[in-house]
C-alpha cells in the first residue's frame, strides 16, 4: 500500500512536472515572436535553446524502454520539448546571418550526430538496462546541467550591462518551478540522474531571479533613456526637414 501510494504520488508529481516543463519550453515564445516580427535575433543568444534541444534528445534516449524502462513521463515531455526547441533553433537559423548562422547550424548538426552515435554505441555495447541507464544517465546529468547553466552567458551580459532586458523573467520562473517538480519526482524513488541536474537547475534559477531583482530598476531606467533619445532624434529630424523645406522655398523664390 505504501509503495502504491508512493508510486501514485510520484506519477502525479511527474504529470505536474510535464506541465511545468511544457510551460518552460513555451516561455520563450514572446521572445521568438519579437524575433519573427523584427526579422532579426538582436542580442538574443541561441546557446540556451541549442543546449535545451540536446538535453531533450538525451532524455528521450534515457527514457526509451530499451534503456530505462517505465519512464514514459520522461519521454513524453522531452519529445515535446525536442519539437519546440527545434522550432526555436530553426528561427535562429532563419534570422541570424553570417558566422552566427553557421555557428547555429554546426551546433545543431553536431548534436544530432552525437546523440545518434551515443544511441548506437549504448545499444550495441551495453547489454543490460542498468549499464545503459548508467551511461546515458551520466550524459544526461552532464547535458542537463549544461541546459540549466546555459543562461550563465546571459547572466554575464546582465551584470555587464546592468540590464535584464534580454533575460526574460518568465523563463527564470518556469525554470525554478520545473526544477523543483522534477527534483521531487526523482527523490521519491531516488534517481540520481534526474536529481542532480534538476537540483542544480533550482540553484541557477534562483541566481537568475536574484539578478532580476537587483537590475530591474536599472533596466527600466535604460529603457526610458532609450525612448527619450529616440524621441529626441525623431524631433531633430522633423526640425531639420522643416528647415530644409523652408530653405527650398527660399531658393525657389530667388
Amino acid at each position: 500500500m505504501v509503495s502504491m501510494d508512493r508510486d501514485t504520488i510520484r506519477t502525479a508529481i511527474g504529470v505536474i512536472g510535464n506541465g511545468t516543463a511544457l510551460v518552460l519550453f513555451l516561455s520563450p515564445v514572446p521572445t521568438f515572436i519579437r524575433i519573427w516580427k523584427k526579422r532579426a535575433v538582436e542580442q538574443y543568444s541561441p546557446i540556451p535553446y541549442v543546449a535545451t534541444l540536446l538535453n531533450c534528445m538525451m532524455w528521450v534516449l534515457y527514457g526509451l524502454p530499451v534503456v530505462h524502462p517505465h519512464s514514459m513521463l520522461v519521454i513524453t515531455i522531452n519529445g515535446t520539448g525536442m519539437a519546440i526547441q527545434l522550432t526555436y533553433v530553426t528561427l535562429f537559423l532563419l534570422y541570424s546571418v553570417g558566422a552566427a548562422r553557421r555557428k547555429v547550424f554546426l551546433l545543431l548538426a553536431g548534436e544530432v550526430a552525437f546523440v545518434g552515435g551515443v544511441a548506437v554505441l549504448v545499444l550495441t555495447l551495453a547489454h543490460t538496462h542498468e549499464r545503459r541507464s548508467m551511461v546515458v544517465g551520466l550524459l544526461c546529468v552532464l547535458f542537463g546541467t549544461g541546459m540549466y547553466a546555459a543562461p550563465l552567458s546571459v547572466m554575464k551580459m546582465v551584470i555587464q550591462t546592468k540590464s535584464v532586458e534580454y533575460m526574460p523573467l518568465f523563463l527564470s520562473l518556469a525554470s525554478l518551478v520545473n526544477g523543483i517538480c522534477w527534483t521531487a519526482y526523482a527523490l521519491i524513488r531516488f534517481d540520481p540522474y534526474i536529481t542532480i541536474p534538476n537540483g542544480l537547475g533550482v540553484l541557477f534559477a534562483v541566481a537568475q531571479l536574484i539578478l532580476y531583482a537587483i537590475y530591474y530598476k536599472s533596466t527600466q531606467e535604460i529603457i526610458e533613456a532609450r525612448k527619450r533619445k529616440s524621441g529626441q532624434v525623431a524631433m531633430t529630424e522633423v526640425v531639420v526637414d522643416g528647415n530644409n523645406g523652408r530653405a527650398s522655398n527660399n531658393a525657389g523664390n530667388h
Side-chain angles (χ1 to χ4, degrees), residues 24 51-52 55 143-152 155 175-176 178-180 182 197-202 204-205 208:
L24 174 63
T52 304
N55 182 65
F143 296 122
T145 302
M147 181 193 76
Y148 284 117
L152 287 174
M155 292 167 67
S175 296
L176 177 62
N178 182 67
I180 291 172
W182 284 105
N198 284 285
L200 290 174
V202 172
F204 285 129
Q208 291 174 49

Side-chain angles (χ1 to χ4, degrees), residues 59-222:
W59 280 113
V60 167
L61 179 59
Y62 178 81
L64 292 176
V66 293
V67 176
H68 194 80
H70 313 298
S71 300
M72 185 54 64
L73 289 173
V74 174
I75 293 177
T76 53
I77 189 55
N78 285 286
T80 303
M82 277 177 54
I84 294 171
Q85 300 304 318
L86 187 58
T87 301
Y88 296 155
V89 173
T90 299
L91 287 172
F92 264 101
L93 284 171
L94 288 174
Y95 297 124
S96 56
V97 294
R101 176 180 289 174
R102 288 193 295 273
K103 178 181 178 181
V104 175
F105 178 79
L106 290 173
L107 286 171
L108 178 60
E111 287 183 357
V112 173
F114 176 79
V115 175
V118 170
V120 171
L121 291 174
V122 166
L123 295 178
T124 55
L125 300 179
H127 302 294
T128 65
H129 289 137
E130 289 76 14
R131 289 184 179 180
R132 291 172 178 173
S133 296
M134 181 184 69
V135 174
V136 180
L138 288 173
L139 290 173
C140 284
V141 169
L142 177 63
F143 296 122
T145 302
M147 181 193 76
Y148 284 117
L152 287 174
S153 61
V154 180
M155 292 167 67
K156 179 182 178 182
M157 184 174 69
V158 167
I159 295 172
Q160 290 175 337
T161 63
K162 294 181 171 51
S163 171
V164 293
E165 185 177 1
Y166 293 98
M167 188 179 74
L169 175 62
F170 193 50
L171 183 59
S172 300
L173 288 172
S175 296
L176 177 62
V177 175
N178 182 67
I180 291 172
C181 285
W182 284 105
T183 300
Y185 173 89
L187 288 174
I188 291 175
R189 281 192 177 280
F190 186 62
D191 186 330
Y193 308 121
I194 298 178
T195 301
I196 294 171
N198 284 285
L200 290 174
V202 172
L203 296 179
F204 285 129
V206 169
Q208 291 174 49
L209 292 174
I210 291 173
L211 281 181
Y212 200 92
I214 292 172
Y215 293 113
Y216 176 78
K217 184 176 180 180
S218 62
T219 301
Q220 299 306 307
E221 293 172 351
I222 290 170

